[in-house]
């Protein structure tokens, strides 16, 4: 049985909304990554249209971060946020061996073991 707490999941509204799915493979060593990741999470929470965040990282360096946004304008504002632009630059230069970023509009969502539609 998993020990993931329900509060680990973002509390998203009924669709539609947007997801930014960021998958990455980290280089070895922290090199300031943890501090920046914490700062970006705190900053994202202050942005208009931010709905939540879910993330996980394996010991081998592979990780996924999903951020949720109310609409396309909100996620475009986040993308253009100056401190976030700096974090992206640092990611390319210092932290990531490879990454994939995917953006999608969520049309349907389900939750719980019973598959309830949200």
């Amino acid at each position: 049985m998993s020990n993931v707490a329900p509060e680990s999941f973002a509390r998203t509204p009924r669709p539609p909304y947007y997801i930014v799915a960021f998958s990455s493979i980290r280089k070895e060593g922290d090199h300031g990554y943890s501090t920046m990741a914490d700062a970006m999470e705190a900053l994202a929470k202050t942005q208009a249209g931010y709905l939540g965040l879910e993330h996980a990282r394996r010991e081998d360096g592979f990780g996924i971060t999903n951020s949720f946004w109310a609409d396309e304008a909100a996620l475009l504002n986040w993308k253009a946020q100056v401190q976030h632009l700096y974090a992206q630059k640092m990611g390319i230069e210092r932290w990531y061996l490879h990454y994939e970023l995917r953006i999608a509009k969520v049309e349907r969502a389900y939750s719980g073991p019973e598959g309830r539609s949200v």
Side-chain angles (χ1 to χ4, degrees):
M1 170 167 265
S2 173
N3 58 0
V4 175
E7 55 272 6
S8 297
F9 293 91
R11 301 231 181 252
T12 51
R14 290 188 180 278
Y17 54 86
Y18 284 79
I19 181 175
V20 176
F22 181 75
S23 303
S24 64
I25 300 173
R26 288 258 320 275
K27 295 177 181 177
E28 285 194 39
D30 187 80
H31 309 289
Y33 176 85
S34 296
T35 300
M36 182 65 81
D38 291 345
M40 288 301 98
E41 184 172 351
L43 182 61
K45 289 177 180 179
T46 70
Q47 303 300 299
Y50 171 83
L51 300 175
L53 185 76
E54 298 171 349
H55 56 89
R57 184 158 304 276
R58 296 188 317 213
E59 288 183 23
D60 67 359
F62 178 78
I64 297 174
T65 299
N66 293 328
S67 61
F68 302 92
W69 301 89
D71 52 39
E72 191 171 16
L75 70 87
L76 290 173
N77 285 336
W78 172 240
K79 179 178 174 35
Q81 213 289 332
V82 173
Q83 290 134 315
H84 185 220
L85 288 170
Y86 177 72
Q88 292 172 45
K89 180 179 185 299
M90 296 303 292
I92 291 166
E93 293 176 3
R94 284 191 187 170
W95 300 316
Y96 301 118
L97 291 172
H98 182 79
Y99 67 87
E100 300 282 341
L101 185 114
R102 299 166 179 103
I103 298 170
K105 184 176 183 180
V106 176
E107 302 280 341
R108 286 181 294 283
Y110 305 89
S111 68
E114 69 280 355
R116 176 175 40 86
S117 185
V118 200

